[in-house]
Amino acid sequence: MLPGRTGDVMDVDAGVPVTVIGGYLGAGKTTLVNSLLRQAAGRRLAVLVNDFGDLSIDADLIEGADDQVLQLAGGCVCCTIGSDLVAALAELRERFPDVDQVLLEASGVAMPGAVASTVTLISGLRRAAVVVVVAADRLPGLLADSYLSDTIERQLAAADLLIVGHASDCDASAMVRLRERLTRINARAPVIAADHGRVPIDLVLEPRLNTIANDSRGLAPRPIGPANAPFASLTLTASGPVDADALCQALHAPDLGIERAKGVLFCLDGALRVVHVLGRDCRLERSANPPRSAYGDLVIIGLRERLDEARLLRSLAGFQITGRRYL
């Protein structure tokens, strides 16, 4: 008898399906979420954010905000998780009982398989799939990094579907090698190449990718462990307008040990901008969403053994920026 049919041991159709979207820092998870929201076409999606910083929902998708909940187009919503995933899932189920699907964007350093197991603790929710996004141009270097390779491989191994972003940055032979490497780590997960998160929504939300139903039976639910332990994070708060271009240049210094930086800041020209820093790359985008503090915040993420907090604060002393421990 197929899983989920009447009379089976477990009815996997009971409850609202939750799709966990994982992947390392800067892989393209938020880009995928925005793409899925644009394809909702009547589906009522709830987005839960389990990340160090704020999720950058595309401004034209936001219709309003109420009590830390973003009201999105088409009856969709976006909520933050905070420090207690189980409580956030239970609250979401209670506040929005009519949602069709939940998209849970895991932290870039979290283990998405453990996050998916936590979903089974909540009555009325069920694990649909674990989708892991990887950046084609960065994955080989991450797997070769002695500090990061274990985290990356564990994330990949938990996936029911692997989405390779930045695919156009790789030639055909590089993509073949990348697929072969991913298959060695996780032979059961299909690998899909995509750019800008353009993946058919039905493929990502489909609750029976491969053997998900079979894999979910017999797994004991467990709370999330200290998945973020190898990483440190620092929240920087601006006390005045910031020269965003100069700030990006300062954050590029390799001796600071920064893996990822993102935030919303008021700039010297009066504009509000989202700052994304990933390794040696920096992107500035106009933002319609105000920051949490008066002039903005920036979240810095790095490996504990590499992130030099004292050097970082000294290098940013001229930007009217102060730091406070975040994790």
Side-chain angles (χ1 to χ4, degrees):
M1 183 176 291
L2 292 176
R5 301 303 177 92
T6 303
D8 198 14
V9 175
M10 185 182 87
D11 183 3
V12 298
D13 289 327
V16 177
V18 179
T19 297
V20 177
I21 299 176
Y24 192 62
L25 304 166
K29 299 184 296 297
T30 299
T31 302
L32 174 63
V33 168
N34 279 306
S35 174
L36 297 176
L37 287 170
R38 292 186 182 281
Q39 300 177 62
R43 292 182 176 90
R44 296 182 300 276
L45 303 178
V47 180
L48 265 180
V49 189
N50 181 26
D51 208 345
F52 291 100
D54 294 327
L55 178 67
S56 299
I57 296 291
D58 289 346
D60 62 330
L61 292 172
I62 300 173
E63 295 185 343
D66 177 32
D67 190 25
Q68 296 186 339
V69 175
L70 292 179
Q71 305 294 334
L72 307 178
C76 301
V77 295
C78 178
C79 314
T80 56
I81 292 175
S83 60
D84 191 338
L85 175 57
V86 172
L89 286 167
E91 181 180 356
L92 181 140
R93 185 73 185 99
E94 181 178 344
R95 290 188 62 179
F96 306 101
D98 59 344
V99 298
D100 299 316
Q101 184 106 10
V102 178
L103 302 177
L104 198 166
E105 182 184 340
S107 161
V109 297
M111 296 299 113
V115 174
S117 294
T118 303
V119 170
T120 64
L121 296 170
I122 308 302
S123 176
L125 297 178
R126 63 180 174 84
R127 177 193 191 277
V130 174
V131 177
V132 174
V133 186
V134 300
D137 53 343
R138 299 189 68 224
L139 186 62
L142 293 173
L143 290 173
D145 190 310
S146 59
Y147 288 99
L148 295 174
S149 58
D150 180 66
T151 295
I152 303 303
E153 290 192 8
R154 289 172 63 193
Q155 289 180 342
L156 297 174
D160 301 302
L161 174 67
L162 290 165
I163 297 177
V164 180
H166 305 250
S168 60
D169 295 333
C170 293
D171 58 31
S173 60
M175 280 300 298
V176 169
R177 293 192 298 272
L178 189 64
R179 285 178 181 273
E180 290 175 346
R181 192 160 191 184
L182 290 172
T183 300
R184 286 197 297 271
I185 296 172
N186 185 340
R188 68 184 180 85
V191 179
I192 298 175
D195 277 312
H196 307 294
R198 290 193 288 263
V199 178
I201 188 171
D202 289 335
L203 182 59
V204 177
L205 302 187
E206 168 59 44
R208 290 190 183 85
L209 293 168
N210 292 313
T211 55
I212 295 174
N214 288 328
D215 290 345
S216 65
R217 286 188 291 176
L219 287 178
R222 60 184 186 281
I224 299 175
N228 297 338
F231 296 86
S233 178
L234 186 70
T235 295
L236 306 179
T237 299
S239 58
V242 173
D243 184 335
D245 291 321
L247 178 63
C248 284
Q249 291 298 318
L251 294 173
H252 281 164
D255 57 347
L256 296 181
I258 295 173
E259 286 286 322
R260 183 82 158 97
K262 63 179 180 179
V264 179
L265 297 167
F266 277 102
C267 301
L268 291 178
D269 61 0
L272 184 63
R273 288 187 171 87
V274 181
V275 180
H276 299 275
V277 178
L278 182 61
R280 298 292 296 172
D281 298 323
C282 181
R283 187 171 75 253
L284 297 173
E285 301 173 349
R286 291 268 183 170
S287 175
N289 303 320
R292 286 173 291 185
S293 59
Y295 291 98
D297 300 283
L298 185 70
V299 179
I300 307 292
I301 305 168
L303 287 161
R304 290 189 186 278
E305 296 192 22
R306 294 180 182 173
L307 188 64
D308 191 329
E309 179 180 342
R311 185 188 296 271
L312 173 64
L313 293 178
R314 286 197 301 270
S315 69
L316 300 180
F319 291 94
Q320 304 185 81
I321 285 179
T322 58
R324 63 181 186 272
R325 176 60 60 186
Y326 189 82
L327 174 66

